[in-house]
Amino acid sequence: MNNILLTIFFFVLPIFLLLTRRRSSKRLPPGSLGIPIIGQSLSLLRAMRANTAEQWLQQRIIKYGPISKLSLFGKPTVFIYGQAANKFVFTSDGSTIGNQQTKSVTMILGDRCLLELSGLDHKRVRDALVSFLKPESLRKYVGKIDGEIRKHLELHWHGKDGVTVLPQMKTLTFNIVCSLLFGLERGAQRDRFIDRFQEMVEGMWSVPVNLPFTRFSSSLRASARVQTMVKDLIREKRMKLEQKTAAPHDDLITCLLSIRNENNEEVISENEIVHNVMLIMVAGHDTSSVLITFLMRLLADDPAIYAAVLQEQAAVAKGKIKGEFLRWEDLAKMKYTWRVALETLRMFPPIFGGFRKALKDIEYGGYLIPQGWQIFWVTNMTHMDDSIFPEQSKFDPSRFENQASIPPYCYIPFGAGPRICPGYEFARIETLVAIHYLVTQFTWKLLCPGNFFSRNPMPVPTKELPIQILPKKI
């Protein structure tokens, strides 16, 4: 009898497990995880560099529907898109989905940056960053940003017949980041930072295999050097605070070191300062430089929009005494220019998309997203949706005359809801001040016309946008 029962048990058990597995697998979204570790990573990266990533995703949608599984950058992933997906990503509480970037980004930027934190840790660190990056704080730094932009144009633009825009904008925005966020003046220390930083960002979206001579390996080494340099800065600034030769809002690092709890202990750990300083280096440098570059390409291609931006900026310039810095109040007069910038971000968002992590099994769209899997969302999937933005391929700044008319969670270049980028206002100031001086001091002509760009992972126009420039007077 026991032998019969044992035989039945061993016969039935595999069938039961097979049926259970099949029932479970049916609840997973359709799709394939592909080759282990590699998955669809190389295919997506190739599409991004060829400027066909949106088509690549549309083909997935046609084949599998609005939710599908794949493997990206070493992890099983579920791709979701649309207004409901964006809302789900940006509003879910910290117990359902958590911040998580690709393994390559985490290893390069660190696991204590805002992109990785959830729940109370996320709120604590975000609140600390916002204390420096909120509009009330940043308004006092408009003059400092103005000075950096003027100095950059004096050194790199005036007296030149032409420039290549994207590298110039990267140099400019990195100098602003160094000045405003680190309190680093021009010189050898700042130059070392920018060299290591450029090496660091090159491998942020790559397959996380640390082999010699790979882009990822080079980025990891550069990241270690940058972290060491930031820790040296922290020690210097902590000493100045103790000696009372620095004020809390001199720069971002000093501000973070100054935040204390009721026991007079630092609220933000050294690792959190290092990792979030590196995050803001990337966000403040890459996103703004891309935005200004694509704005310049647009203004060269569209005389009507250029004329309207110039008219607005010339009116601001005429209200200034010669040599006087722009002020917060001047930026409030640049409404049309900012609408042009918002439309540029709609069509050419610097951030292609992002990742979250399922902290538990999640039911979404009739499917299971298993605990530990990545959730992948993409900015352009709503930005270029004709049902949300009619004539989506037409450049039309008037879309943003009444931003309340845009459905929530559809326009997301800076994220949305409680996850909106804390550096939004910083990017706005950088962009408006830069465009003010560019359109009032120069005219330019594209040397490589055309709308092509690749993503690496940020959008890069052909040959990084070389232009011919001429100085002008208003």
Side-chain angles (χ1 to χ4, degrees):
M1 184 67 177
N2 287 339
N3 288 338
I4 294 172
L5 289 174
L6 198 62
T7 302
I8 293 171
F9 175 79
F10 281 113
F11 178 77
V12 172
L13 180 62
I15 296 174
F16 173 79
L17 291 174
L18 182 62
L19 291 174
T20 303
R21 189 178 297 115
R22 281 181 178 170
R23 189 161 59 245
S24 174
S25 66
K26 284 182 180 177
R27 296 183 64 217
L28 288 173
S32 166
L33 297 181
I35 303 168
I37 300 178
I38 303 296
Q40 288 80 13
S41 305
L42 297 180
S43 176
L44 174 60
L45 289 172
R46 279 195 299 269
M48 290 174 69
R49 288 172 190 144
N51 195 22
T52 59
E54 283 77 17
Q55 295 95 307
W56 189 88
L57 289 166
Q58 286 292 353
Q59 288 170 3
R60 288 194 65 81
I61 293 165
I62 292 168
K63 186 173 183 179
Y64 299 118
I67 175 170
S68 60
K69 69 175 181 285
L70 67 165
S71 176
L72 290 175
F73 310 109
K75 290 201 172 183
T77 304
V78 172
F79 165 60
I80 60 175
Y81 81 99
Q83 181 184 15
N86 293 342
K87 184 176 181 181
F88 170 67
V89 164
F90 292 119
T91 62
S92 293
D93 62 52
S95 67
T96 306
I97 64 174
N99 276 355
Q100 175 181 285
Q101 294 306 296
T102 64
K103 187 177 179 182
S104 56
V105 171
T106 302
M107 291 178 71
I108 289 167
L109 291 186
D111 60 4
R112 298 303 296 173
C113 78
L114 202 61
L115 297 177
E116 292 291 324
L117 300 178
S118 299
L120 293 176
D121 279 346
H122 180 273
K123 183 180 187 307
R124 173 177 54 81
V125 174
R126 180 187 168 83
D127 287 350
L129 294 173
V130 167
S131 70
F132 184 84
L133 294 170
K134 62 186 177 183
E136 308 90 274
S137 298
L138 286 176
R139 63 189 304 155
K140 65 172 74 83
Y141 299 109
V142 174
K144 196 169 186 179
I145 293 171
D146 183 303
E148 282 288 343
I149 290 172
R150 288 195 200 188
K151 186 67 175 176
H152 173 84
L153 295 178
E154 178 188 324
L155 290 173
H156 302 289
W157 290 62
H158 286 289
K160 304 289 195 307
D161 295 325
V163 298
T164 303
V165 177
L166 185 57
Q168 288 292 336
M169 290 303 106
K170 286 185 175 183
T171 300
L172 169 63
T173 54
F174 193 82
N175 280 327
I176 292 172
V177 165
C178 283
S179 174
L180 190 62
L181 304 185
F182 308 154
L184 270 182
E185 299 309 317
R186 291 174 183 272
Q189 191 176 13
R190 190 191 277 193
D191 292 342
R192 285 195 299 274
F193 250 113
I194 196 166
D195 290 343
R196 298 291 82 77
F197 175 78
Q198 294 286 11
E199 293 173 29
M200 183 183 87
V201 297
E202 286 180 358
M204 284 182 56
W205 271 44
S206 57
V207 177
V209 178
N210 188 12
L211 295 174
F213 313 115
T214 63
R215 179 181 290 187
F216 179 65
S217 177
S218 298
S219 292
L220 275 181
R221 290 194 299 272
S223 170
R225 295 188 192 107
V226 171
Q227 291 188 52
T228 299
M229 294 166 79
V230 174
K231 287 176 182 177
D232 290 342
L233 271 178
I234 291 171
R235 280 191 289 274
E236 289 175 24
K237 293 178 185 303
R238 185 179 280 121
M239 188 178 299
K240 287 182 179 180
L241 275 173
E242 291 168 355
Q243 295 170 348
K244 302 190 184 304
T245 58
H249 276 77
D250 281 353
D251 54 73
L252 175 66
I253 293 177
T254 306
C255 175
L256 296 178
L257 287 170
S258 303
I259 300 172
R260 304 272 172 160
N261 61 19
E262 60 275 9
N263 299 320
N264 199 34
E265 299 165 332
E266 292 177 4
V267 169
I268 309 299
S269 71
E270 182 171 288
N271 267 351
E272 286 169 343
I273 294 176
V274 171
H275 295 174
N276 283 285
V277 160
M278 291 170 67
L279 169 63
I280 292 175
M281 285 167 70
V282 172
H285 165 266
D286 269 350
T287 54
S288 296
S289 61
V290 166
L291 171 56
I292 298 167
T293 297
F294 276 81
L295 269 169
M296 292 194 68
R297 189 177 79 167
L298 164 82
L299 294 173
D301 275 340
D302 196 318
I305 291 177
Y306 173 84
V309 168
L310 177 59
Q311 182 180 16
E312 182 174 80
Q313 296 301 333
V316 172
K318 286 174 183 173
K320 307 298 292 181
I321 300 169
K322 187 175 181 179
E324 182 185 5
F325 286 153
L326 291 170
R327 296 184 299 164
W328 180 261
E329 293 75 17
D330 296 314
L331 304 185
K333 300 172 185 175
M334 302 178 184
K335 291 182 173 61
Y336 180 77
T337 305
W338 187 238
R339 288 201 295 271
V340 173
L342 292 175
E343 178 70 342
T344 303
L345 286 167
R346 182 186 72 83
M347 295 188 72
F348 311 105
I351 305 299
F352 178 74
F355 295 86
R356 296 291 190 269
K357 179 181 179 180
L359 300 178
K360 58 185 180 183
D361 287 354
I362 300 169
E363 294 280 349
Y364 180 83
Y367 293 103
L368 169 71
I369 303 178
Q371 180 180 355
W373 280 38
Q374 289 183 144
I375 300 167
F376 178 43
W377 56 272
V378 176
T379 308
N380 254 19
M381 302 311 288
T382 51
H383 284 198
M384 300 303 287
D385 185 330
D386 193 56
S387 67
I388 300 167
F389 296 101
E391 296 183 88
Q392 80 277 19
S393 297
K394 178 184 176 183
F395 192 93
D396 183 7
S398 69
R399 301 179 199 274
F400 295 93
E401 287 176 358
N402 177 18
Q403 291 190 52
S405 66
I406 299 172
Y409 301 100
C410 290
Y411 180 71
I412 54 168
F414 295 100
R419 298 286 185 179
I420 195 164
C421 173
Y424 171 88
E425 198 62 42
F426 178 52
R428 188 179 79 91
I429 296 170
E430 274 188 305
T431 301
L432 291 176
V433 177
I435 291 298
H436 172 80
Y437 286 110
L438 287 166
V439 299
T440 57
Q441 294 186 6
F442 301 95
T443 57
W444 59 91
K445 177 183 177 182
L446 300 182
L447 296 179
C448 282
N451 292 321
F452 180 80
F453 67 93
S454 63
R455 282 190 175 273
N456 195 26
M458 298 282 181
V460 178
T462 305
K463 295 185 179 179
E464 300 186 313
L465 202 66
I467 59 172
Q468 179 184 359
I469 56 174
L470 288 170
K472 71 175 181 182
K473 293 181 181 179
I474 292 182

